[in-house]
Amino acid sequence: MNYCAEIIAVGTEILLGDIVNTDAQTVARALSELGINVYYNTVVGDNPERLRAAVEIAKDRADIIITTGGLGPTFDDLTKQTLAECFGKKLVLNERELQKIKGYFEKLGRTMTKNNEQQAYLPEDCTVLENDWGTAPGCAFFAENTHVLMLPGPPRECVPMMRERAMPYLKKLSDACLVSHEIKIFGMGESSVEDKIRHIAEKMTNPTLAPYAKEGETLLRVTGRAGDESAADALTRPVIDQVYEILGDCIYGTDVPSLAFVVLETLKKQGKTIATAESCTGGLLSKMLTDLPGASDAFLGGICAYQNEIKEKLLYVPHELLEKHGAVSEECAAAMAEGVRKALGADIGVGITGIAGPGGGSEEKPVGTVYIAVSDGVETRVKKVLHQRDRGTVRNMSALTALDQVRRILEK
Amino acid sequence: MNYCAEIIAVGTEILLGDIVNTDAQTVARALSELGINVYYNTVVGDNPERLRAAVEIAKDRADIIITTGGLGPTFDDLTKQTLAECFGKKLVLNERELQKIKGYFEKLGRTMTKNNEQQAYLPEDCTVLENDWGTAPGCAFFAENTHVLMLPGPPRECVPMMRERAMPYLKKLSDACLVSHEIKIFGMGESSVEDKIRHIAEKMTNPTLAPYAKEGETLLRVTGRAGDESAADALTRPVIDQVYEILGDCIYGTDVPSLAFVVLETLKKQGKTIATAESCTGGLLSKMLTDLPGASDAFLGGICAYQNEIKEKLLYVPHELLEKHGAVSEECAAAMAEGVRKALGADIGVGITGIAGPGGGSEEKPVGTVYIAVSDGVETRVKKVLHQRDRGTVRNMSALTALDQVRRILEK
């Protein structure tokens, strides 16, 4: 049976735009792995009438309803009460969960405020979805031909709850298997990628091939559907090969989490170390590398030289060079890359200098002009980019371009 | 009239969980400022039948429908076609928009692929919402008693389109005014804050006072509603005063974008400079400071010393200290803060050292143990934190705690 799910996020703060609904992404990705389709996702506020209305609509069009949010201790946490009413169930105190919540507060040396008790009330006869990452347990039940799962809202709880509790519960329902692979591309926009692969993608129904634009990169998702995982996977392989033939080295990897990951893995494989010298990116490049556990196997450290004097003092950029070419120049980027290589004793040095904006641009060097240098002791390659965008995008694209340049120099 | 809007995001990649629906937040925040209520937001895939079904439901329950996404050049961009059909309108080629799109490609020295033309087809008689940040224009029309606005999906286009095009269009419809102020709190969780303010918040209907948990901080939103902006604002003021009396210096500011902003502003006001020395946060603290334009007025630079040898070499942390106390210690954090102050010649130095995880912990110093030191030349204050969470959260909370510690030392 092809199950179809609807995700309902409960929370006025999402409707008001105070926070972004990342839980929907968490739940949807997991459902995708299980071969469960999601055709709608909805957000309602902390309002029982509108939540009830949304649930009634969902009952009509979905086999599985998964809610996120509204399980907490405050007066506007109303999900369980409302969903229980929609399905004619009572809420019942679960002693074990109450003790768990009390114990959580004791361990922190804090008193449990009374409002936390409501988290231990659950729909009668439900399956409790234990929450080891927060205080509010989730729950699941089957009623009126609908599977209902309720998960907590905070992402650091929702993520493991979906993976460790909801997915095992749902696995029993699913009989189709979807396998996806993500081909990751840097330096080509979505419409350019689509233009190059359309002739193969348009005709395909299984597997499917679709491009997605992500911040700073493009992703091509190949998805195969079959009765079991290995048959589904086998469908994707010839398509992946075709894409590699078409797109070549714009592809930085398949099923890899990020450019930073690929760079670190390659450095480790080659037994090399790296150090970073940043100006306009302000630490973003070293942050990207150190996002990953085990970065210390290859990353020695970085210098953020936000003033010219610091470039001279810590990166040995000659004063005359700065006078002659300015900080935003090919020459300065190269000197920064070579300087940090020596200062930290690394095999690879990276230097980034540019104008992130919104101020600081000129006709000759507009906002978004950034020079990225990679020095490996044999050569120093400098790339100039121009991203005429907002400050955050200029910084992000520059740091990613630096990673891509390191990748290319390592793969040469 | 109290207008009510529904936001429909179009995009299979959102349903599949490939990306997060940040556009809903953008649109919702703007609507909130206009006093337009949002009671539902929905996500559908790139599927005309399901989009049509969602629009039919929205027609019933909302006065304003705002869609995001699906305006692009690829074969699955179907929003305009579908919405036009729902409201009995034809799509007509807009010559001016077509020329604009052609011109955009010429300026980049690229050929416009034919698929980009579809972006110039718009519903007959609509108001064109010019897109100066991408190629796909949005549009707006009024039909069947419903205001319909269609905006592009990519956030860097949706954000300015909402603010510069959609908001002026919608301002004409709104007669109520909502004014909100955000009181920002660091170091207290949502349920603790709620517990302290519940006795005033529970009874209030106008203004309203509600707590929201955000990554690493808590926000209290006070919202007043009246016929005009200054009357609405006047309602919020006494409540804000009450909250300050209750929560004291846990509040880092009201209507300020971030802790980093407050720290930089305070440094500038006091004519002081700052330098950062990071280990486990890997550049995240300097990245947070440099996210803001004008950071260079106070921020000199930072050193990410990811290995012990680099702490010794660049931050003058004595070898004996590292041997005796280890890198994850109060002593090392203090030495890093004082070392970077001297190395860069700053008034304030910050040192952060700890175990971000998932590996590296011990019984004595578990994962999440981080020491944060702030040195101002008069004293060096060290704070130990323990955030037993995932790597990203440990790093984020540590960097934020460092900013809060700088704030407190500057405000003493």
Side-chain angles (χ1 to χ4, degrees):
Chain A
M1 178 182 168
N2 267 7
Y3 282 93
C4 157
E6 179 154 347
I7 305 169
I8 301 178
V10 184
T12 301
E13 66 267 30
I14 306 175
L15 284 186
L16 286 179
D18 291 333
I19 62 173
V20 173
N21 187 11
T22 60
D23 289 341
Q25 179 182 42
T26 301
V27 175
R29 279 185 153 160
L31 292 175
S32 191
E33 284 176 46
L34 294 171
I36 295 171
N37 294 311
V38 179
Y39 291 141
Y40 298 94
N41 93 38
T42 303
V43 180
V44 296
D46 302 305
N47 178 289
E49 285 77 36
R50 288 192 280 274
L51 175 53
R52 189 172 304 127
V55 172
E56 293 301 326
I57 287 168
K59 269 192 202 179
D60 259 352
R61 60 189 188 187
D63 311 298
I64 300 168
I65 297 174
I66 301 183
T67 69
T68 61
L71 301 184
T74 67
F75 56 83
D76 52 10
D77 284 302
L78 300 158
T79 304
K80 283 179 297 185
Q81 197 170 302
T82 310
L83 269 287
E85 278 168 24
C86 285
F87 288 91
K89 287 182 165 286
K90 290 208 243 332
L91 286 187
V92 171
L93 176 63
N94 184 310
E95 265 304 329
R96 187 167 170 267
E97 290 304 314
L98 182 62
Q99 289 319 312
K100 243 185 109 182
I101 295 167
K102 284 186 170 160
Y104 172 88
F105 280 89
E106 274 160 24
K107 201 171 96 159
L108 291 180
R110 284 162 52 191
T111 326
M112 180 183 91
T113 48
K114 190 153 174 61
N115 53 6
N116 279 285
E117 275 183 24
Q118 73 186 33
Q119 295 171 108
Y121 281 79
L122 294 159
E124 51 188 341
D125 307 323
C126 73
T127 300
V128 179
L129 304 176
E130 299 283 348
N131 187 348
D132 293 339
W133 307 274
T135 53
C139 59
F141 62 80
F142 180 70
E144 297 179 34
N145 237 5
T146 312
H147 292 277
V148 178
L149 287 84
M150 292 182 248
L151 303 178
R156 73 176 125 76
E157 297 178 39
C158 188
V159 169
M161 286 289 281
M162 186 65 207
R163 197 136 285 273
E164 311 288 331
R165 306 284 181 253
M167 279 186 85
Y169 182 94
L170 291 166
K171 254 188 160 58
K172 299 174 288 205
L173 308 177
S174 151
D175 51 4
C177 197
L178 287 180
V179 170
S180 285
H181 293 290
E182 297 183 347
I183 302 169
K184 295 199 159 183
I185 298 138
F186 183 79
M188 270 182 89
E190 186 191 9
S191 65
S192 303
V193 169
E194 201 249 359
D195 199 56
K196 285 192 184 281
I197 55 96
R198 191 182 328 113
H199 64 288
I200 50 168
E202 254 181 342
K203 302 166 286 177
M204 286 167 35
T205 50
N206 185 20
T208 55
L209 179 61
Y212 296 108
K214 289 196 153 252
E215 182 61 54
E217 57 183 42
T218 304
L219 187 151
L220 266 173
R221 184 179 245 261
V222 194
T223 306
R225 185 185 197 105
D228 66 77
E229 215 174 288
S230 67
D233 188 60
L235 288 170
T236 64
R237 296 294 161 186
V239 178
I240 294 175
D241 292 341
Q242 268 185 295
V243 171
Y244 266 82
E245 262 169 63
I246 297 167
L247 296 177
D249 73 351
C250 284
I251 296 173
Y252 72 78
T254 294
D255 294 337
V256 289
S258 61
L259 257 171
F261 177 88
V262 170
V263 165
L264 283 171
E265 288 300 295
T266 312
L267 285 164
K268 289 185 213 183
K269 251 188 224 124
Q270 297 184 9
K272 292 183 177 153
T273 57
I274 188 169
T276 58
E278 306 182 59
S279 189
C280 60
T281 44
L284 177 56
L285 175 59
S286 59
K287 185 261 179 197
M288 283 178 174
L289 286 164
T290 58
D291 273 335
L292 300 156
S296 57
D297 293 341
F299 177 68
L300 299 186
I303 293 174
C304 172
Y306 217 62
Q307 311 281 344
N308 282 4
E309 308 79 62
I310 310 298
K311 290 178 178 73
E312 293 180 35
K313 198 192 291 199
L314 299 184
L315 294 169
Y316 318 123
V317 177
H319 183 79
E320 304 70 39
L321 184 154
L322 288 167
E323 288 281 294
K324 185 173 179 195
H325 302 284
V328 180
S329 62
E330 197 179 303
E331 292 80 0
C332 183
M336 286 168 69
E338 289 157 12
V340 80
R341 254 193 86 241
K342 293 189 199 103
L344 272 71
D347 298 306
I348 309 272
V350 182
I352 307 180
T353 177
I355 306 160
S362 64
E363 186 143 336
E364 197 206 322
K365 288 178 188 175
V367 164
T369 304
V370 181
Y371 293 90
I372 293 148
V374 180
S375 170
D376 68 353
V378 173
E379 60 165 314
T380 300
R381 243 185 240 187
V382 185
K383 183 178 174 74
K384 175 184 173 184
V385 295
L386 177 61
H387 294 288
Q388 294 186 283
R389 297 268 169 77
D390 60 278
R391 185 181 178 83
T393 304
V394 173
R395 284 160 39 104
N396 196 48
M397 290 308 297
S398 303
L400 290 175
T401 304
L403 288 171
D404 193 56
Q405 289 298 104
V406 173
R407 168 184 78 93
R408 287 168 178 274
I409 225 176
L410 290 173
E411 286 176 2
K412 76 177 173 185
Chain B
M1 180 183 168
N2 268 7
Y3 281 93
C4 157
E6 179 155 346
I7 305 170
I8 301 177
V10 183
T12 301
E13 66 268 30
I14 307 176
L15 283 186
L16 286 179
D18 291 332
I19 62 173
V20 173
N21 186 11
T22 59
D23 290 341
Q25 180 183 39
T26 300
V27 174
R29 280 186 153 159
L31 292 174
S32 191
E33 285 175 44
L34 294 171
I36 294 170
N37 293 314
V38 180
Y39 291 142
Y40 298 94
N41 94 37
T42 303
V43 179
V44 296
D46 303 305
N47 178 290
E49 284 77 36
R50 288 193 280 274
L51 175 53
R52 191 173 303 126
V55 172
E56 293 301 325
I57 287 170
K59 268 193 202 179
D60 257 352
R61 59 189 188 186
D63 310 299
I64 300 168
I65 297 175
I66 301 183
T67 69
T68 60
L71 301 185
T74 68
F75 56 82
D76 52 11
D77 286 303
L78 300 157
T79 304
K80 284 179 298 185
Q81 196 169 304
T82 310
L83 269 287
E85 278 168 23
C86 285
F87 289 90
K89 287 182 166 287
K90 290 207 245 332
L91 286 187
V92 172
L93 176 63
N94 184 310
E95 264 306 327
R96 186 166 172 266
E97 291 302 316
L98 181 61
Q99 290 319 311
K100 244 185 107 182
I101 295 167
K102 284 184 168 159
Y104 173 88
F105 280 90
E106 274 159 27
K107 202 172 92 160
L108 292 179
R110 283 162 53 192
T111 326
M112 178 183 92
T113 48
K114 189 151 175 61
N115 53 6
N116 279 285
E117 275 181 26
Q118 76 187 32
Q119 295 171 107
Y121 280 78
L122 294 160
E124 52 188 341
D125 308 321
C126 74
T127 301
V128 179
L129 303 177
E130 297 285 347
N131 186 350
D132 294 338
W133 307 274
T135 51
C139 57
F141 62 80
F142 180 69
E144 297 179 34
N145 238 5
T146 311
H147 291 276
V148 178
L149 287 83
M150 293 183 246
L151 302 178
R156 70 177 127 76
E157 298 178 40
C158 188
V159 170
M161 285 290 281
M162 187 67 207
R163 196 133 287 271
E164 311 290 331
R165 305 286 181 253
M167 280 186 82
Y169 182 94
L170 291 167
K171 256 191 159 55
K172 298 174 290 208
L173 309 175
S174 152
D175 51 5
C177 198
L178 287 180
V179 170
S180 285
H181 294 289
E182 298 184 347
I183 301 168
K184 296 198 156 181
I185 297 139
F186 184 80
M188 271 182 86
E190 186 193 8
S191 65
S192 302
V193 169
E194 200 248 1
D195 198 57
K196 285 193 186 278
I197 55 95
R198 191 182 327 115
H199 64 287
I200 49 168
E202 252 180 344
K203 302 166 284 178
M204 286 167 37
T205 49
N206 185 20
T208 54
L209 178 63
Y212 296 107
K214 288 191 154 251
E215 182 62 53
E217 58 183 41
T218 304
L219 189 150
L220 266 173
R221 186 180 244 260
V222 194
T223 305
R225 185 186 196 103
D228 65 78
E229 216 175 288
S230 66
D233 187 59
L235 288 170
T236 64
R237 297 294 161 185
V239 177
I240 294 175
D241 292 341
Q242 268 186 293
V243 172
Y244 266 82
E245 265 170 63
I246 297 169
L247 296 179
D249 73 352
C250 284
I251 297 172
Y252 72 78
T254 294
D255 294 337
V256 288
S258 61
L259 257 170
F261 177 88
V262 169
V263 165
L264 282 171
E265 288 300 292
T266 311
L267 285 164
K268 288 183 213 183
K269 251 188 224 125
Q270 297 185 8
K272 291 183 179 154
T273 58
I274 190 170
T276 57
E278 305 182 58
S279 189
C280 62
T281 43
L284 177 56
L285 175 59
S286 59
K287 185 261 181 196
M288 284 178 173
L289 285 164
T290 57
D291 273 335
L292 300 156
S296 58
D297 293 340
F299 177 68
L300 298 186
I303 291 173
C304 172
Y306 217 62
Q307 312 281 342
N308 282 3
E309 308 77 64
I310 310 299
K311 289 179 178 74
E312 293 179 33
K313 198 191 291 201
L314 299 185
L315 294 170
Y316 318 123
V317 177
H319 184 79
E320 304 69 39
L321 184 152
L322 288 166
E323 289 278 296
K324 183 172 179 195
H325 301 286
V328 179
S329 63
E330 197 179 302
E331 292 82 2
C332 183
M336 286 168 70
E338 288 156 12
V340 80
R341 254 193 88 241
K342 293 192 199 101
L344 272 71
D347 298 307
I348 308 274
V350 182
I352 308 181
T353 176
I355 306 160
S362 65
E363 187 141 337
E364 196 205 323
K365 287 177 188 174
V367 164
T369 303
V370 181
Y371 294 89
I372 294 148
V374 180
S375 169
D376 68 355
V378 173
E379 61 163 315
T380 299
R381 242 185 239 188
V382 185
K383 183 177 173 75
K384 175 183 173 185
V385 294
L386 176 61
H387 294 289
Q388 294 185 285
R389 297 269 170 75
D390 60 279
R391 185 181 177 82
T393 303
V394 173
R395 285 160 40 104
N396 196 48
M397 291 305 299
S398 303
L400 290 175
T401 303
L403 289 170
D404 194 56
Q405 289 297 105
V406 173
R407 168 184 79 94
R408 287 169 179 276
I409 224 176
L410 290 173
E411 288 175 0
K412 75 177 174 186

